[in-house]
Coordinates of all heavy atoms in Angstrom, one line a residue:
G788 N 17.5 -1.2 -31.4 CA 16.4 -1.2 -32.3 C 15.1 -1.7 -31.7 O 15.1 -2.0 -30.5
A789 N 14.0 -1.6 -32.4 CA 12.7 -2.0 -31.8 C 12.7 -3.5 -31.7 O 13.2 -4.3 -32.5 CB 11.6 -1.5 -32.8
S790 N 12.0 -4.0 -30.6 CA 11.9 -5.4 -30.4 C 10.7 -5.9 -31.2 O 9.8 -5.2 -31.6 CB 11.8 -5.8 -29.0 OG 10.6 -5.2 -28.4
H791 N 10.7 -7.2 -31.5 CA 9.7 -7.9 -32.2 C 8.4 -7.9 -31.4 O 8.4 -8.1 -30.2 CB 10.1 -9.3 -32.5 CG 9.3 -10.0 -33.6 ND1 8.1 -10.6 -33.2 CD2 9.4 -10.1 -34.9 CE1 7.5 -11.1 -34.3 NE2 8.3 -10.8 -35.4
P792 N 7.2 -7.7 -32.1 CA 5.9 -7.6 -31.4 C 5.6 -8.9 -30.5 O 5.1 -8.8 -29.4 CB 4.9 -7.5 -32.5 CG 5.6 -6.9 -33.6 CD 7.0 -7.4 -33.5
R793 N 6.0 -10.1 -31.0 CA 5.8 -11.3 -30.3 C 6.6 -11.3 -29.0 O 6.2 -11.7 -27.9 CB 6.2 -12.5 -31.1 CG 4.9 -13.3 -31.4 CD 5.3 -14.6 -32.1 NE 5.1 -14.3 -33.5 CZ 5.7 -15.0 -34.5 NH1 6.6 -15.9 -34.2 NH2 5.5 -14.7 -35.7
R794 N 7.8 -10.8 -29.1 CA 8.7 -10.7 -27.9 C 8.1 -9.7 -26.9 O 8.1 -10.0 -25.7 CB 10.1 -10.3 -28.3 CG 11.0 -10.2 -27.1 CD 12.4 -9.8 -27.6 NE 13.3 -9.6 -26.4 CZ 14.4 -9.1 -26.4 NH1 14.9 -8.7 -27.6 NH2 15.1 -9.0 -25.3
R795 N 7.6 -8.6 -27.4 CA 7.0 -7.6 -26.4 C 5.8 -8.3 -25.7 O 5.6 -8.1 -24.5 CB 6.6 -6.4 -27.2 CG 7.8 -5.5 -27.5 CD 7.4 -4.1 -28.0 NE 6.4 -4.1 -29.1 CZ 6.7 -3.9 -30.3 NH1 8.0 -3.8 -30.7 NH2 5.8 -3.9 -31.3
R796 N 5.0 -9.0 -26.5 CA 3.8 -9.7 -25.8 C 4.3 -10.7 -24.8 O 3.7 -10.7 -23.7 CB 3.0 -10.4 -26.9 CG 2.0 -9.6 -27.6 CD 0.9 -10.4 -28.3 NE 1.5 -11.3 -29.3 CZ 1.8 -11.0 -30.5 NH1 1.6 -9.8 -31.0 NH2 2.3 -11.9 -31.4
R797 N 5.3 -11.5 -25.1 CA 5.9 -12.4 -24.1 C 6.4 -11.7 -22.8 O 6.2 -12.1 -21.7 CB 7.0 -13.3 -24.7 CG 6.5 -14.4 -25.6 CD 7.6 -15.4 -25.9 NE 8.8 -14.8 -26.4 CZ 9.2 -14.6 -27.6 NH1 8.3 -15.0 -28.6 NH2 10.3 -14.1 -28.0
E798 N 7.1 -10.6 -23.1 CA 7.6 -9.8 -21.9 C 6.5 -9.3 -21.1 O 6.5 -9.3 -19.8 CB 8.5 -8.6 -22.4 CG 9.8 -9.1 -23.0 CD 10.5 -8.0 -23.8 OE1 10.0 -6.9 -23.9 OE2 11.7 -8.3 -24.2
R799 N 5.4 -8.7 -21.7 CA 4.2 -8.2 -20.9 C 3.6 -9.3 -20.2 O 3.2 -9.2 -19.0 CB 3.2 -7.5 -21.8 CG 3.6 -6.1 -22.2 CD 2.5 -5.4 -22.9 NE 1.9 -6.1 -24.0 CZ 2.2 -5.9 -25.2 NH1 3.2 -5.1 -25.6 NH2 1.6 -6.6 -26.2
H800 N 3.4 -10.5 -20.8 CA 2.8 -11.7 -20.2 C 3.6 -12.1 -19.0 O 3.1 -12.4 -17.9 CB 2.6 -12.8 -21.2 CG 2.1 -14.0 -20.5 ND1 0.7 -14.1 -20.1 CD2 2.6 -15.2 -20.2 CE1 0.5 -15.3 -19.6 NE2 1.7 -16.0 -19.6
A801 N 4.9 -12.2 -19.1 CA 5.8 -12.6 -18.0 C 5.7 -11.6 -16.9 O 5.7 -12.0 -15.7 CB 7.3 -12.7 -18.5
L802 N 5.7 -10.3 -17.1 CA 5.5 -9.3 -16.1 C 4.2 -9.5 -15.4 O 4.2 -9.4 -14.1 CB 5.7 -7.9 -16.7 CG 5.5 -6.7 -15.7 CD1 6.6 -6.8 -14.7 CD2 5.6 -5.4 -16.4
T803 N 3.1 -9.6 -16.1 CA 1.8 -9.8 -15.5 C 1.8 -11.1 -14.6 O 1.3 -11.1 -13.5 CB 0.7 -9.9 -16.6 OG1 0.8 -8.8 -17.4 CG2 -0.6 -10.1 -16.0
W804 N 2.4 -12.2 -15.1 CA 2.5 -13.4 -14.3 C 3.3 -13.2 -13.0 O 2.8 -13.6 -12.0 CB 3.1 -14.5 -15.2 CG 3.1 -15.8 -14.4 CD1 2.1 -16.7 -14.3 CD2 4.2 -16.3 -13.7 NE1 2.5 -17.8 -13.6 CE2 3.8 -17.6 -13.1 CE3 5.5 -15.9 -13.4 CZ2 4.6 -18.3 -12.3 CZ3 6.3 -16.6 -12.6 CH2 5.9 -17.9 -12.1
R805 N 4.4 -12.5 -13.1 CA 5.2 -12.3 -11.9 C 4.5 -11.4 -10.9 O 4.5 -11.7 -9.7 CB 6.6 -11.6 -12.3 CG 7.6 -12.6 -12.9 CD 8.9 -11.9 -13.0 NE 8.9 -10.7 -13.8 CZ 9.2 -10.5 -15.0 NH1 9.6 -11.6 -15.8 NH2 9.2 -9.3 -15.6
E806 N 3.8 -10.4 -11.4 CA 3.1 -9.5 -10.5 C 1.9 -10.2 -9.8 O 1.6 -10.1 -8.6 CB 2.7 -8.3 -11.2 CG 3.8 -7.4 -11.5 CD 3.5 -6.1 -12.2 OE1 2.3 -5.9 -12.6 OE2 4.4 -5.3 -12.4
S807 N 1.2 -11.1 -10.6 CA 0.1 -11.8 -10.0 C 0.6 -12.8 -9.0 O 0.0 -13.1 -8.0 CB -0.8 -12.4 -11.1 OG -0.1 -13.4 -11.8
G808 N 1.8 -13.4 -9.3 CA 2.4 -14.4 -8.4 C 2.8 -13.7 -7.1 O 2.6 -14.2 -6.0
L809 N 3.3 -12.5 -7.2 CA 3.6 -11.7 -6.0 C 2.4 -11.4 -5.1 O 2.4 -11.5 -3.9 CB 4.3 -10.4 -6.4 CG 4.7 -9.4 -5.2 CD1 5.6 -10.1 -4.2 CD2 5.4 -8.2 -5.8
K810 N 1.3 -11.0 -5.8 CA 0.1 -10.7 -5.1 C -0.4 -12.0 -4.4 O -0.9 -11.9 -3.3 CB -1.0 -10.2 -6.0 CG -0.9 -8.7 -6.3 CD -2.1 -8.2 -7.1 CE -2.1 -6.7 -7.2 NZ -3.3 -6.2 -7.8
A811 N -0.3 -13.1 -5.0 CA -0.7 -14.4 -4.4 C 0.1 -14.7 -3.1 O -0.4 -15.1 -2.1 CB -0.6 -15.5 -5.4
I812 N 1.4 -14.5 -3.2 CA 2.3 -14.7 -2.0 C 1.9 -13.7 -0.9 O 1.8 -14.1 0.2 CB 3.7 -14.5 -2.5 CG1 4.1 -15.7 -3.4 CG2 4.6 -14.5 -1.2 CD1 5.5 -15.5 -4.1
L813 N 1.7 -12.5 -1.3 CA 1.4 -11.5 -0.2 C 0.0 -11.8 0.4 O -0.2 -11.7 1.6 CB 1.4 -10.1 -0.8 CG 2.7 -9.5 -1.2 CD1 2.6 -8.2 -2.0 CD2 3.6 -9.3 0.0
S814 N -0.9 -12.2 -0.4 CA -2.2 -12.6 0.1 C -2.1 -13.8 1.1 O -2.8 -13.8 2.1 CB -3.1 -13.0 -1.1 OG -4.4 -13.5 -0.6
H815 N -1.3 -14.8 0.7 CA -1.1 -15.9 1.6 C -0.6 -15.5 3.0 O -1.0 -16.1 4.0 CB 0.0 -16.9 1.0 CG 0.3 -18.0 1.9 ND1 -0.5 -19.1 2.0 CD2 1.4 -18.2 2.7 CE1 0.1 -20.0 2.9 NE2 1.2 -19.5 3.3
Y816 N 0.2 -14.5 3.1 CA 0.7 -14.0 4.4 C -0.2 -12.9 4.9 O 0.2 -12.2 5.9 CB 2.1 -13.5 4.2 CG 3.1 -14.6 4.0 CD1 3.6 -14.9 2.8 CD2 3.4 -15.4 5.1 CE1 4.5 -16.0 2.6 CE2 4.3 -16.5 4.9 CZ 4.8 -16.8 3.7 OH 5.6 -17.8 3.5
N817 N -1.4 -12.7 4.3 CA -2.3 -11.7 4.8 C -1.8 -10.3 4.8 O -2.1 -9.4 5.6 CB -2.9 -12.0 6.2 CG -4.2 -11.4 6.5 OD1 -5.0 -11.1 5.6 ND2 -4.5 -11.1 7.7
A818 N -0.9 -10.0 3.8 CA -0.3 -8.7 3.7 C -1.3 -7.8 2.8 O -1.9 -8.3 1.9 CB 1.0 -8.8 3.0
P819 N -1.4 -6.6 3.2 CA -2.3 -5.7 2.4 C -1.8 -5.4 1.1 O -0.5 -5.2 0.9 CB -2.4 -4.4 3.3 CG -1.2 -4.4 4.1 CD -0.8 -5.9 4.3
T820 N -2.6 -5.4 0.1 CA -2.2 -5.1 -1.3 C -3.2 -4.1 -1.9 O -4.4 -4.0 -1.4 CB -2.1 -6.3 -2.2 OG1 -3.4 -6.9 -2.3 CG2 -1.1 -7.3 -1.8
L821 N -2.8 -3.3 -2.8 CA -3.7 -2.3 -3.5 C -4.4 -3.0 -4.6 O -3.8 -3.5 -5.6 CB -2.8 -1.2 -4.0 CG -3.6 0.0 -4.7 CD1 -4.5 0.6 -3.6 CD2 -2.6 1.0 -5.2
G822 N -5.7 -3.2 -4.4 CA -6.5 -3.9 -5.4 C -6.8 -3.1 -6.6 O -6.6 -3.5 -7.8
Q823 N -7.3 -1.9 -6.4 CA -7.6 -1.0 -7.5 C -7.1 0.4 -7.1 O -7.2 0.8 -6.0 CB -9.1 -0.9 -7.7 CG -9.7 -2.2 -8.3 CD -9.2 -2.6 -9.7 OE1 -9.0 -1.7 -10.5 NE2 -9.0 -3.8 -9.9
P824 N -6.6 1.2 -8.0 CA -6.4 0.8 -9.4 C -5.1 0.0 -9.6 O -4.2 0.1 -8.8 CB -6.2 2.2 -10.1 CG -5.6 3.0 -9.0 CD -6.2 2.5 -7.7
E825 N -5.1 -0.9 -10.6 CA -3.9 -1.7 -10.9 C -3.1 -0.8 -11.8 O -3.6 0.0 -12.6 CB -4.3 -3.0 -11.6 CG -4.8 -4.0 -10.7 CD -4.8 -5.4 -11.3 OE1 -5.0 -5.5 -12.6 OE2 -4.7 -6.4 -10.6
G826 N -1.8 -0.9 -11.6 CA -0.9 0.0 -12.4 C 0.1 -0.8 -13.2 O 0.9 -1.5 -12.6
Y827 N 0.1 -0.7 -14.5 CA 1.1 -1.3 -15.4 C 1.5 -0.1 -16.3 O 0.7 0.4 -17.1 CB 0.5 -2.4 -16.2 CG 0.0 -3.6 -15.3 CD1 -1.3 -3.7 -15.0 CD2 0.9 -4.5 -14.9 CE1 -1.8 -4.7 -14.2 CE2 0.5 -5.6 -14.1 CZ -0.9 -5.7 -13.7 OH -1.3 -6.7 -13.0
V828 N 2.8 0.2 -16.2 CA 3.3 1.3 -17.0 C 4.3 0.7 -17.9 O 5.4 0.2 -17.5 CB 3.9 2.4 -16.2 CG1 4.5 3.5 -17.1 CG2 2.9 3.1 -15.3
Q829 N 4.1 0.7 -19.2 CA 5.0 0.1 -20.2 C 6.1 1.2 -20.5 O 5.7 2.3 -20.7 CB 4.3 -0.3 -21.5 CG 5.1 -0.9 -22.5 CD 4.3 -1.4 -23.7 OE1 3.1 -1.3 -23.7 NE2 5.0 -1.9 -24.7
T830 N 7.3 0.7 -20.5 CA 8.4 1.7 -20.8 C 8.3 2.0 -22.3 O 8.3 1.2 -23.1 CB 9.7 1.0 -20.5 OG1 9.8 0.6 -19.1 CG2 10.9 2.0 -20.8
T831 N 8.1 3.3 -22.5 CA 8.0 3.8 -23.8 C 9.1 5.0 -24.0 O 9.1 5.8 -23.1 CB 6.6 4.4 -24.1 OG1 5.7 3.4 -23.8 CG2 6.4 4.9 -25.5
P832 N 9.9 4.9 -25.0 CA 10.8 6.0 -25.2 C 10.1 7.4 -25.2 O 9.1 7.6 -25.9 CB 11.4 5.7 -26.6 CG 11.2 4.2 -26.8 CD 9.9 3.9 -26.1
G833 N 10.7 8.3 -24.4 CA 10.1 9.6 -24.4 C 9.0 9.8 -23.4 O 8.5 10.9 -23.2
L834 N 8.6 8.8 -22.7 CA 7.5 8.9 -21.7 C 7.9 9.7 -20.5 O 7.1 10.5 -19.9 CB 7.1 7.5 -21.2 CG 5.9 7.5 -20.2 CD1 4.6 8.1 -20.8 CD2 5.6 6.1 -19.7
F835 N 9.2 9.7 -20.2 CA 9.8 10.5 -19.1 C 10.9 11.4 -19.6 O 11.7 10.9 -20.4 CB 10.3 9.6 -17.9 CG 9.3 8.8 -17.3 CD1 9.1 7.5 -17.6 CD2 8.5 9.3 -16.3 CE1 8.1 6.7 -17.0 CE2 7.5 8.5 -15.6 CZ 7.3 7.2 -16.0
T836 N 10.9 12.6 -19.2 CA 12.0 13.5 -19.5 C 13.3 13.1 -18.7 O 13.2 12.3 -17.8 CB 11.7 14.9 -19.3 OG1 11.6 15.1 -17.8 CG2 10.4 15.4 -20.0
D837 N 14.4 13.7 -19.0 CA 15.6 13.4 -18.3 C 15.5 13.8 -16.8 O 16.1 13.3 -15.9 CB 16.8 14.1 -18.9 CG 17.2 13.5 -20.2 OD1 16.9 12.3 -20.4 OD2 17.9 14.2 -21.0
A838 N 14.6 14.8 -16.6 CA 14.3 15.3 -15.2 C 13.3 14.4 -14.5 O 13.0 14.7 -13.3 CB 13.9 16.7 -15.3
G839 N 12.8 13.4 -15.2 CA 11.8 12.5 -14.5 C 10.4 12.9 -14.7 O 9.5 12.3 -14.1
E840 N 10.1 13.9 -15.5 CA 8.7 14.4 -15.7 C 8.0 13.5 -16.7 O 8.6 13.1 -17.7 CB 8.7 15.8 -16.1 CG 9.2 16.8 -15.0 CD 9.2 18.2 -15.4 OE1 8.7 18.5 -16.5 OE2 9.7 19.0 -14.7
V841 N 6.7 13.3 -16.5 CA 5.9 12.5 -17.4 C 5.5 13.4 -18.6 O 5.0 14.4 -18.4 CB 4.7 11.8 -16.7 CG1 3.9 11.0 -17.7 CG2 5.1 11.0 -15.5
T842 N 5.7 12.9 -19.8 CA 5.3 13.7 -21.0 C 3.9 13.5 -21.5 O 3.4 14.3 -22.2 CB 6.3 13.4 -22.1 OG1 6.2 12.0 -22.5 CG2 7.7 13.7 -21.8
N843 N 3.2 12.5 -21.0 CA 1.9 12.2 -21.5 C 0.9 12.6 -20.3 O 1.0 12.0 -19.2 CB 1.7 10.7 -21.8 CG 0.3 10.3 -22.3 OD1 -0.6 10.4 -21.5 ND2 0.2 10.0 -23.5
D844 N 0.0 13.5 -20.6 CA -0.9 14.0 -19.5 C -1.8 12.9 -19.0 O -2.0 12.9 -17.8 CB -1.8 15.1 -20.1 CG -1.0 16.4 -20.4 OD1 0.1 16.6 -19.8 OD2 -1.5 17.3 -21.1
Q845 N -2.3 12.0 -19.8 CA -3.2 11.0 -19.3 C -2.4 10.0 -18.4 O -2.9 9.6 -17.4 CB -3.8 10.2 -20.5 CG -4.8 9.2 -20.1 CD -5.4 8.5 -21.4 OE1 -5.0 8.7 -22.5 NE2 -6.5 7.8 -21.1
T846 N -1.2 9.7 -18.8 CA -0.3 8.8 -17.9 C 0.0 9.5 -16.6 O -0.1 8.9 -15.5 CB 1.0 8.4 -18.6 OG1 0.6 7.7 -19.8 CG2 1.9 7.6 -17.8
A847 N 0.3 10.8 -16.7 CA 0.6 11.6 -15.5 C -0.6 11.6 -14.5 O -0.5 11.4 -13.3 CB 1.0 13.0 -15.8
E848 N -1.8 11.8 -15.0 CA -3.0 11.8 -14.2 C -3.2 10.4 -13.6 O -3.6 10.3 -12.4 CB -4.2 12.2 -15.0 CG -4.3 13.6 -15.5 CD -5.4 13.9 -16.5 OE1 -6.3 13.1 -16.7 OE2 -5.3 15.0 -17.0
F849 N -3.0 9.3 -14.3 CA -3.2 8.0 -13.8 C -2.1 7.8 -12.7 O -2.5 7.2 -11.6 CB -3.0 6.9 -14.9 CG -2.9 5.6 -14.3 CD1 -4.0 4.9 -13.9 CD2 -1.7 4.9 -14.1 CE1 -4.0 3.6 -13.3 CE2 -1.6 3.7 -13.5 CZ -2.7 3.0 -13.1
L850 N -0.9 8.2 -12.9 CA 0.1 7.9 -11.9 C -0.2 8.7 -10.6 O 0.0 8.2 -9.5 CB 1.5 8.3 -12.4 CG 2.1 7.4 -13.5 CD1 3.4 8.0 -14.1 CD2 2.3 6.0 -13.0
V851 N -0.7 9.9 -10.7 CA -1.1 10.7 -9.5 C -2.2 9.9 -8.8 O -2.1 9.8 -7.6 CB -1.5 12.1 -9.9 CG1 -2.2 12.8 -8.8 CG2 -0.3 12.9 -10.4
S852 N -3.2 9.5 -9.5 CA -4.3 8.8 -8.8 C -3.8 7.5 -8.2 O -4.3 7.1 -7.1 CB -5.5 8.5 -9.8 OG -5.1 7.6 -10.8
Y853 N -2.9 6.8 -8.9 CA -2.4 5.5 -8.3 C -1.6 5.8 -7.1 O -1.7 5.1 -6.1 CB -1.5 4.9 -9.4 CG -0.9 3.5 -8.9 CD1 -1.7 2.4 -9.1 CD2 0.3 3.4 -8.3 CE1 -1.2 1.1 -8.6 CE2 0.8 2.2 -7.9 CZ 0.1 1.1 -8.0 OH 0.5 -0.1 -7.6
L854 N -0.7 6.8 -7.1 CA 0.1 7.1 -5.9 C -0.8 7.6 -4.7 O -0.5 7.3 -3.6 CB 1.2 8.1 -6.3 CG 2.3 7.5 -7.2 CD1 3.2 8.6 -7.6 CD2 3.0 6.4 -6.5
E855 N -1.9 8.3 -5.0 CA -2.8 8.7 -4.0 C -3.4 7.5 -3.3 O -3.6 7.5 -2.1 CB -3.8 9.7 -4.5 CG -3.3 11.1 -4.8 CD -4.3 12.0 -5.5 OE1 -5.3 11.5 -6.0 OE2 -4.0 13.2 -5.6
A856 N -3.9 6.6 -4.1 CA -4.5 5.3 -3.6 C -3.5 4.5 -2.8 O -3.8 4.0 -1.7 CB -5.0 4.5 -4.8
F857 N -2.2 4.5 -3.3 CA -1.2 3.8 -2.6 C -0.9 4.5 -1.2 O -0.7 3.8 -0.2 CB 0.1 3.7 -3.4 CG 1.2 2.9 -2.7 CD1 1.1 1.5 -2.6 CD2 2.3 3.5 -2.2 CE1 2.1 0.8 -2.0 CE2 3.3 2.8 -1.6 CZ 3.2 1.4 -1.5
G858 N -0.8 5.8 -1.2 CA -0.6 6.5 0.0 C -1.7 6.3 1.0 O -1.5 6.1 2.2
A859 N -3.0 6.2 0.5 CA -4.1 5.9 1.4 C -4.0 4.5 2.0 O -4.3 4.3 3.2 CB -5.4 6.0 0.7
L860 N -3.5 3.5 1.2 CA -3.2 2.2 1.7 C -2.2 2.2 2.8 O -2.3 1.6 3.9 CB -2.8 1.2 0.6 CG -2.5 -0.2 1.0 CD1 -3.8 -1.0 1.3 CD2 -1.7 -0.9 -0.1
V861 N -1.1 2.9 2.6 CA 0.0 3.0 3.6 C -0.5 3.6 4.8 O -0.3 3.2 5.9 CB 1.2 3.8 3.0 CG1 2.2 4.1 4.1 CG2 1.8 3.0 1.9
D862 N -1.3 4.7 4.7 CA -1.9 5.4 5.9 C -2.8 4.5 6.7 O -2.8 4.6 7.9 CB -2.7 6.7 5.4 CG -1.8 7.8 5.1 OD1 -0.6 7.8 5.4 OD2 -2.3 8.8 4.4
R863 N -3.5 3.6 6.0 CA -4.4 2.7 6.6 C -3.7 1.7 7.5 O -4.2 1.3 8.6 CB -5.3 2.0 5.6 CG -6.5 1.4 6.1 CD -7.4 0.9 5.0 NE -7.1 1.5 3.8 CZ -7.4 1.0 2.6 NH1 -7.9 -0.2 2.5 NH2 -7.0 1.6 1.5
Y864 N -2.5 1.3 7.1 CA -1.8 0.3 7.9 C -0.6 0.7 8.6 O 0.0 0.0 9.4 CB -1.4 -0.9 6.9 CG -2.6 -1.6 6.4 CD1 -3.2 -1.3 5.2 CD2 -3.2 -2.6 7.2 CE1 -4.3 -2.0 4.7 CE2 -4.3 -3.3 6.7 CZ -4.8 -3.0 5.5 OH -5.9 -3.7 5.1
A865 N -0.1 2.0 8.3 CA 1.1 2.5 9.0 C 0.8 2.9 10.4 O -0.3 3.4 10.7 CB 1.7 3.6 8.2
R866 N 1.8 2.7 11.3 CA 1.7 3.2 12.6 C 1.7 4.8 12.7 O 1.1 5.4 13.5 CB 2.7 2.6 13.5 CG 2.6 1.1 13.7 CD 3.7 0.6 14.5 NE 3.6 -0.9 14.4 CZ 3.5 -1.7 15.4 NH1 3.4 -1.2 16.6 NH2 3.4 -3.0 15.3
V867 N 2.6 5.3 11.8 CA 2.7 6.7 11.6 C 2.2 7.1 10.2 O 2.8 6.5 9.3 CB 4.1 7.2 11.8 CG1 4.2 8.7 11.6 CG2 4.6 6.9 13.2
P868 N 1.2 7.9 10.0 CA 0.7 8.2 8.7 C 1.9 8.7 7.8 O 2.7 9.4 8.2 CB -0.3 9.3 8.9 CG -0.7 9.2 10.3 CD 0.5 8.7 11.1
A869 N 1.8 8.2 6.5 CA 2.8 8.6 5.5 C 2.8 10.1 5.3 O 3.8 10.7 4.9 CB 2.6 7.8 4.2
S870 N 1.7 10.7 5.5 CA 1.6 12.2 5.2 C 2.1 13.0 6.3 O 2.2 14.2 6.2 CB 0.1 12.5 4.9 OG -0.7 12.2 6.0
A871 N 2.5 12.4 7.4 CA 3.0 13.1 8.6 C 4.4 13.6 8.4 O 5.2 13.1 7.6 CB 2.9 12.3 9.9

């Protein structure tokens, strides 16, 4: 069944806190992180098909732009470009 709205808010808050904590740890060790765009994808029934395709065009566009930015970050720091 559907979870309670307060529980969903707590879950989102906990996820945001964990991710910001991870960024702080990585920053402490001078590890590169992707600043923008930030990506938070909430699990929604029907967002992905069984084949893994995204059903929402706006979400699909965001994910493509996010992965392109992440690929550029990897290329910037990798010894061998990720696109090779």
Side-chain angles (χ1 to χ4, degrees):
S790 63
H791 193 275
R793 247 186 264 156
R794 180 177 177 192
R795 285 194 304 263
R796 274 196 304 274
R797 283 194 309 265
E798 289 169 353
R799 281 194 306 269
H800 176 73
L802 179 62
T803 303
W804 181 84
R805 285 191 303 262
E806 289 178 357
S807 65
L809 176 59
K810 279 189 172 186
I812 292 168
L813 291 172
S814 175
H815 175 78
Y816 289 103
N817 202 27
T820 58
L821 183 62
Q823 293 294 326
E825 285 193 329
Y827 299 95
V828 178
Q829 183 175 356
T830 303
T831 304
L834 182 59
F835 296 96
T836 66
D837 290 338
E840 295 180 6
V841 180
T842 60
N843 180 292
D844 291 340
Q845 188 176 8
T846 300
E848 290 172 12
F849 171 77
L850 291 173
V851 167
S852 69
Y853 182 85
L854 291 174
E855 287 173 347
F857 182 74
L860 177 75
V861 170
D862 284 344
R863 197 169 340 153
Y864 291 96
R866 294 175 191 241
V867 177
S870 57

